[in-house]
């Protein structure tokens, strides 16, 4: 039951706050969470020049892949991390 609850938390974090990297921070992958957060901020900052649009698209694809990995419990999300 505890592992299921953690998976639900990871899933909800990814679904609602995935572009901020919240699910990666929650599972202890702080580097990936920071990379997603920086990608989001740089994408927003440069979106008025249309340079940031590909960055935001890449971030969306990354978060979608993470969501699928959480649902399938594969890759780095196959293990139970904190809390």
């Amino acid at each position: 039951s505890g592992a299921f609850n953690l998976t639900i938390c990871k899933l909800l974090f990814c679904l609602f706050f995935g572009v901020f990297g919240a699910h990666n921070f929650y599972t202890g992958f702080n580097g990936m969470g920071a990379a997603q957060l920086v990608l989001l901020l740089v994408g927003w900052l440069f979106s008025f020049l249309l340079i940031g649009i590909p960055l935001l698209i890449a971030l969306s694809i990354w978060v979608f892949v993470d969501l699928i990995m959480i649902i399938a419990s594969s890759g780095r999300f196959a293990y139970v991390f904190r809390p």
Side-chain angles (χ1 to χ4, degrees), residues 50-66:
L50 300 177
I51 298 170
I53 303 297
L55 296 177
L56 294 174
I57 292 171
L59 177 62
S60 300
I61 293 170
W62 186 1
V63 170
F64 181 72
V65 169
D66 279 353

Side-chain angles (χ1 to χ4, degrees), residues 1 11 20 22-23 25 34 59-60 63 69-72:
S1 149
L11 182 66
F20 299 104
H23 59 290
F25 286 119
L59 177 62
S60 300
V63 170
M69 287 174 60
I70 290 170
I71 291 171

Side-chain angles (χ1 to χ4, degrees), residues 10 69 72-81:
K10 288 187 283 189
M69 287 174 60
S73 292
S74 66
R76 66 182 185 274
F77 297 111
Y79 306 102
V80 176
F81 290 96

Side-chain angles (χ1 to χ4, degrees), residues 28-69:
F29 297 110
N30 295 331
M32 290 192 143
Q36 287 179 329
L37 190 58
V38 167
L39 197 60
L40 176 69
L41 295 175
V42 170
W44 275 351
L45 186 64
F46 290 109
S47 63
F48 70 95
L49 296 174
L50 300 177
I51 298 170
I53 303 297
L55 296 177
L56 294 174
I57 292 171
L59 177 62
S60 300
I61 293 170
W62 186 1
V63 170
F64 181 72
V65 169
D66 279 353
L67 183 67
I68 297 301
M69 287 174 60

Side-chain angles (χ1 to χ4, degrees), residues 7-33:
T7 301
I8 294 297
C9 287
K10 288 187 283 189
L11 182 66
L12 292 175
F13 272 130
C14 186
L15 194 61
F16 293 111
F17 305 110
V19 292
F20 299 104
H23 59 290
N24 283 315
F25 286 119
Y26 179 72
T27 54
F29 297 110
N30 295 331
M32 290 192 143

